[in-house]
Amino acid sequence: MAAKTIISRPIYGTLSPQPGKHHLFVADAEGALAIIDMAGKAPPGFFDGAEIDFIPGPEGKHIAALEALRPAQLHIAPSFASLLPRLKQTLTNAHMGLRLYLAGTEGLIGQAMQVALEAGMDHTSIQTEHRGSLARRMQCVHCKGITENVTTQPALCAHCGLLLLVRDHYSRRLAAFQGVCINAEDRSEIPPMEEAFP
Amino acid sequence: MSTGTTKLDVVVSDVVPVNDLVTRFHFRRRDGGLLPTFSGGAHVVVEMRDSDRTRLNPYSLMGSPLDTREYTISVRRDDVGRGGSLFMHRQVKPGLEMVISYPVNLFSLDLRAKKHLMLAGGIGITPFMAQTSQLAAAGGNFELHYTCRTASLGTYADVLQQRYGNRVHLYHDDREQRIDLDRLLSSQPLGTHLYVCGPAGMINWVRHRAAALGWPSETVHFEHFAAPQPGAPFDVTLAVSGKTIRVGEQQSLLEAMEAAGVDPPYLCRGGVCGQCETNVISSDGKFIHNDHWLSEEDHRSGCKIMPCVSRFEGKSLVLER
Amino acid sequence: MGITFRKETFRDDYTFRNSPEHIRRFPFPFNEDAYMYTVNIEPHVVGPKGSVLENLIDVDEHYVAEMQDRALVLAEDPLRCQSLPHMTLAGWDLLELLMEQQALGYPEHFTLERDGDRWRWINRPLGIDDTFTFGDTSTLPYGPMEYITRQSQGDFCILDQRDGNLWMDAGMVTTQADWSLDFDIGMNFFEWHAPVPLAHEKGIFTRALKFLTNIQQGKPARRLNWTMTINPRLDTSPENYHKWGPDRATVTPENVGQKVHLRVELQSFWRLPRSNAIVFPIRCYLIKMDELVTQPKWARRLHRVIRDLPEELATYKGLTRYRPTLVEWLSRLDDGSPTSPGFGPD
Ligand code: HEM
Ligand code: FES
C-alpha cells in the first residue's frame, strides 16, 4: 500500500511579512533563500525589529546574504539542538505581537514549531516555507523512537529495527511522520526499499 | 440530568434594579432542583411571551458557574429595540413562570491561554462576571479592563474591584479616561488570549488594533450573538399528501409537517444529515436556506429544501411530500 | 436482578463469548444490504428495553473483564491515556457524566452520593468505594479522566472546541480499531480523520464537524461504525500491530466462525458543561461469526455487505487478506432471500 497524500500532511506556504512588533525567523540551509525572497516584499525597516536564527548546515552558505538584510540580530547556530535553549528563552520572554517565520527542511520547521506551540503560539499563526531536502522525521508507532532524516520507503526504525511504512500522517505535537510496520501480517514479505524523500 | 429537552421551566426568583438602565433577574428551577452546569461565557435564550407574541432573546449568564442553584442575567433597557428588554423591565416580576433554553456557549475561554486579557464595554461586562468567577476559582491568570459611561452606570464595577482588586481596571467616559489600547496590547506575554464584549464599535476597534499589532485571529475572541431568527409564517402545499399547512413564526417547516401528520424522515434536525431533504415542485418566492447539507447550486436553483432548518418567504410553495 | 459479569479474556486464550441475550442485543450496524460512509448521526436517546440503548452509557456482562484488560494495556503502555494540561476541567466534566449515567442506569452496581463538593462513589463490580472532593485532583488516585475511564467500558476522546474545530486534546484509548492516541493527540477533526478514504471527498467530515460543533448540552448524538477483528482482541492498536497483524493470515474456512469477529463501535457525542468540550465515547462490541449467524437475517446481510464492500474500504479496514475466505463461508448461509429493512434480527 503506497501512502497517498492526506490532510494531516502539513502544507507549507510562502513566507510573507505579517503585521507585528517583532519578527523572529528560524531557518536552516536553503531556508535562508525563503527569507531573502520575502525580504523583497517587506516594507522598509521591517528587519529593524527582526531576529534571524540560522543553521547553515555543512555547506555553510547564505550567511552573507542574511547579514545584508541587516536584521537587529543574526544568530548562527551549528545545529538545532544548540539553538534550542536560546529559542526557548526568546519565546518565554516574548510579548504578543511577535511573529514567527520558519523556513527550510521539514524537520527544522516541525521542531521549531513544537517549541512555539509550547510557548503558547497557535500553529496557524506561524508562517512556514519548505526549502531543501524532503527527508522526514519519523516516529515508530511501535517503539516510539524518532528516526531523523528518513529518505527511503519503507524505512528501518533506528531504534527497534522494524521495517516501517512511512505514512503521510503527521503529528505537529511530535513533529514527525508516522512509521508503521509494513510487513506485520507476514514478516516474509519484504518490499524493496526505494529512495522516496530525497 | 444531562438528557432531555433543551428547555428549562424556571420561575423568576428575584428582580433587582442595578442602576438607571440595568436590572438583574434571577431564575430558579420550578421543581426546585439544580440548574445545568455551564461554562463562563455561556448564554441562555429567554422566551418572552408578551400576549400573542413570543420573543426569544439571548442573555449571558453572569453568576458563578460553580453555583447552579440559580441563574442570573442582567438586562439593559433599550428604548428603541425590538421590545424584549422593555418587556423584561416592565412585565417580569418575581414569581413569574418563564421558559429559558439550556445554556449555550459561543464565547468560551481558551483554556490553553497563559493569560486571559478581558475588555468590556458597558453591559458587555456580563459574560466576564461568570468567566472571572470560573478563572479565579481555578487560579487562572486574568486581567479585566472595563469601560463605562459614568461611575454610576458602571454596572458591577464595585463588585469586581472588591473581588479582584488591581486585576480590574476601570475607565469612565465622563472623566475622559480611555484605555491606552496599543500599549496594553503590546505589553502582554506571548500566549495571552484577548476577549472583548461590548458595543459593536468597540469590538471592531479592538479587533482592528489587535490585528495591526500582530495578534493572530485565533487569540482574539469576541461575543457575537447569533440572535434567533424565528421568521415570518408561510403557507406550504404538500402535494403527495394533499394538504396545505401554515408554518408558524416559531415553528420549523419540519415541525409544521409533523403537526399535520406528515412524517418525513429525519436524524439530526440540524441541517447536516440530509435525511429530510425534500424536492420542491414549484415555488414563487424566496428560500431562506439555513442547512449545511445542500450545495450552493442546490440553494440557488430552489429545487430542494431541508425542512428541519430552512424557511420560505413568498406567494406559494409546493413540496413533494 | 443486576448483571452477571463474565470471567473472560481478550488476549492469549481469548475466552470472550456473548451470552444468548447479548447476541440478540448486539448493535448490528447494517440497515440495508450494502455499506458506504454517510453522515449517519442521530440523536442519542434511550432505546427499547433489552437493547444496548436501554441506557445512554451501556454497561454489560463484559464490564469487569474489559476493565481488567484496560488495566493490563495501561501497565504495558501508559501513553494510551493522555490529557493535555488545559483539559483537566473537561476530565472532571467527564467524571460527573459517567458517574451520573452509570449510577442512574445501574443503581444495583453503582452509587453516587453528592454533598456539595464532597462526593462518594461506590462501584460494586470493581470493589471501589472512594470519597473525594470534586474539582480537587489531589483527592483521587489518578487524574479525573483516567480515574473514571478505568471504570467505564469503551474508549473516550475529549475534544476541545476552538476556532470552529474540534481538537483531540485528551483521551483514554485502549480498545481502538488501529489508531494511535499518542500520535493523534493535539490534532483537529480533519487531521485525525486524514487516513480515512473517500469520506473527505464526499464532504462527510465538513458536514459532520458543523453538526458536532453545534451539539448542545443535554442533547447528545450518536453514530455506529464497524470493522472486523481476528480473535476477540480489544487492543488492536497500531502500537501492537506487529503482534496482532499476523492473526489476519491465520483465517481458514474451518476457523472463520470462531476467529472472525464483527467489531461495532457505538459512538456518542456529548457537550460537557464546565469546559464546553465534547466527549466522544467509543463503545466497542465484538461478536464472533458463529454467534452472529444465529440470526439468519444478519448472516445474509453481512454476506452481501462484505462481498460488495468497495475496495478502498476493505483495504482501510484491513480485510483484504481474509475477505475471500469470509465471503465464501458466509455465502453458504445466504439463500438469496430478501432481508427486511432495519437493523434488528427478524
Ligand atoms: C468528534 C468525534 C470523533 C472522533 C474523536 C473520531 C475519531 C476517529 C478516529 C481516530 C478514526 C481513525 C482514523 C485513522 O485511521 O487513523 C476515525 C475513523 C472514522 N471516522 Fe471518526 N471520529 C469522530 C467523529 C466522526 C463522525 C461524526 C463521523 C461521520 C459522520 C466520523 C466518521 C469516521 C469514519 C467513516 C471513519 C473510518 C472508519 C472505518 O471505516 O472503520 N467520525 N474517527
Ligand atoms: S434532519 Fe438532518 S438535515 Fe434535516
Side-chain angles (χ1 to χ4, degrees), chain B residues 236-253:
Chain B
V236 185
T237 304
L238 305 175
V240 180
S241 39
K243 292 183 178 168
T244 297
I245 59 169
R246 163 152 282 224
V247 182
E249 190 182 328
Q250 304 295 335
Q251 217 177 11
S252 73
L253 171 53

Side-chain angles (χ1 to χ4, degrees), chain A residues 16-18 23-26 38 46 99-103 127:
Chain A
S16 69
Q18 298 298 302
H23 304 276
L24 174 62
F25 292 81
V26 181
M38 192 208 86
F46 180 85
R99 306 309 298 248
L100 184 62
Y101 306 78
L102 309 174
Q127 293 271 309

Side-chain angles (χ1 to χ4, degrees), chain B residues 254 265-276 293 306 308:
Chain B
L254 181 60
Y266 69 85
L267 279 178
C268 68
R269 300 182 85 95
V272 294
C273 74
Q275 286 291 310
C276 68
W293 172 260
M306 308 305 287
C308 62

Side-chain angles (χ1 to χ4, degrees), chain B residues 1 35-44 60-72 102-105 126-127 129-131 133-134, chain C residues 89 93 96 217 272-276:
Chain B
M1 178 222 107
L35 288 154
T37 310
F38 65 98
S39 49
H43 71 265
V44 292
S60 298
L61 291 175
M62 52 164 288
S64 164
L66 307 176
D67 179 3
T68 54
R69 280 169 306 176
E70 62 175 15
Y71 282 170
T72 48
Y102 252 65
V104 174
N105 199 339
T126 53
M129 298 293 290
Q131 291 185 333
S133 298
Q134 180 181 335
Chain C
L89 185 63
D93 276 331
E96 175 183 52
Q217 209 172 311
L272 295 175
R274 295 170 186 76
S275 56
N276 204 38

